[in-house]
Amino acid sequence: MQSLQAKASEWSGVNQDDAFAIDDANLFQKLGLRTFISLSTNFYTRVYDDEEEWFRSIFARSKKEDAIQNQYEFFVQRMGGPPLYSQRKGHPALIARHRPFPVTHRAAERWLHHMQQALESTPDIDADSKLRMLNFFRHTAFFLVAGDELKCQNQPPSCKHGSSNQLPSKTS
């Protein structure tokens, strides 16, 4: 059976070394907290204003302010900063936390569309950091798709609940 990481690499087109190049530089030290807050605010403004109802509906049960905070705290923690997310919410457990949502190929591509636009319009992020982050985001988005498909094996196509809680790393 192909691992979630292998599926993520195949589906995203990003190999694991490129996906985890964020670990080779402390992007939190380089970019600072304000940049991560700006990126997440920019991203979720796009998400909540998305013209596609099916995509907006994925986020309908979340307050925009909470989504922004969860995301920037996770990004800060994952990219070399203090463990803000874990201190407030526990282990990130990305697949488990995304279990209630339909994390499909289509949804991942739409998410990535907004994230790429947010990266491009956040002026304090240099080109090298943008590339590292985009590779990580792309790989992680498809890691979540792979997790969503895994949780739905042997269940009806409408499956929306699973049991995996892996955090993307080079060894998952």
Side-chain angles (χ1 to χ4, degrees):
M1 179 175 182
Q2 193 177 23
S3 74
L4 296 180
Q5 290 295 353
K7 283 185 179 183
S9 290
E10 178 185 334
W11 294 341
S12 70
V14 178
N15 69 51
Q16 288 185 43
D17 288 340
D18 289 340
F20 297 103
I22 61 165
D23 296 332
D24 299 334
N26 187 319
L27 295 180
F28 175 75
Q29 281 184 339
K30 186 176 185 180
L31 302 173
L33 178 62
R34 284 271 145 231
T35 301
F36 286 100
I37 294 171
S38 294
L39 174 64
S40 294
T41 301
N42 189 337
F43 171 77
Y44 275 108
T45 296
R46 293 169 187 283
V47 166
Y48 280 83
D49 290 344
D50 190 291
E51 63 272 8
E52 299 286 342
E53 193 281 327
W54 69 267
F55 187 72
R56 281 192 324 271
S57 71
I58 295 170
F59 302 89
R61 291 185 290 155
S62 301
K63 289 173 145 178
K64 181 178 171 183
E65 297 75 21
D66 293 342
I68 291 168
Q69 183 179 7
N70 289 339
Q71 186 181 73
Y72 82 70
E73 286 182 353
F74 171 74
F75 288 172
V76 163
Q77 177 172 321
R78 185 60 187 84
M79 297 188 200
L84 301 177
Y85 187 91
S86 291
Q87 288 172 345
R88 190 170 57 86
K89 297 194 63 106
H91 189 282
L94 289 182
I95 290 174
R97 291 195 189 270
H98 289 82
R99 181 181 304 136
F101 310 107
V103 186
T104 63
H105 288 262
R106 182 179 180 209
E109 289 294 351
R110 193 74 185 160
W111 189 98
L112 288 162
H113 164 77
H114 289 300
M115 182 52 75
Q116 186 161 7
Q117 287 186 328
L119 281 166
E120 291 303 321
S121 61
T122 303
D124 297 330
I125 306 175
D126 61 281
D128 179 66
S129 297
K130 282 179 187 173
L131 179 60
R132 289 174 189 267
M133 293 168 79
L134 191 57
N135 283 337
F136 174 73
F137 296 149
R138 184 158 190 79
H139 191 273
T140 300
F142 285 97
F143 175 83
L144 292 174
V145 172
D148 191 69
E149 290 191 3
L150 178 66
K151 77 184 179 192
C152 291
Q153 287 179 352
N154 302 318
Q155 293 185 24
S158 62
C159 165
K160 290 186 180 170
H161 298 89
S163 61
S164 183
N165 65 356
Q166 291 177 286
L167 175 67
S169 68
K170 287 184 182 179
T171 59
S172 293

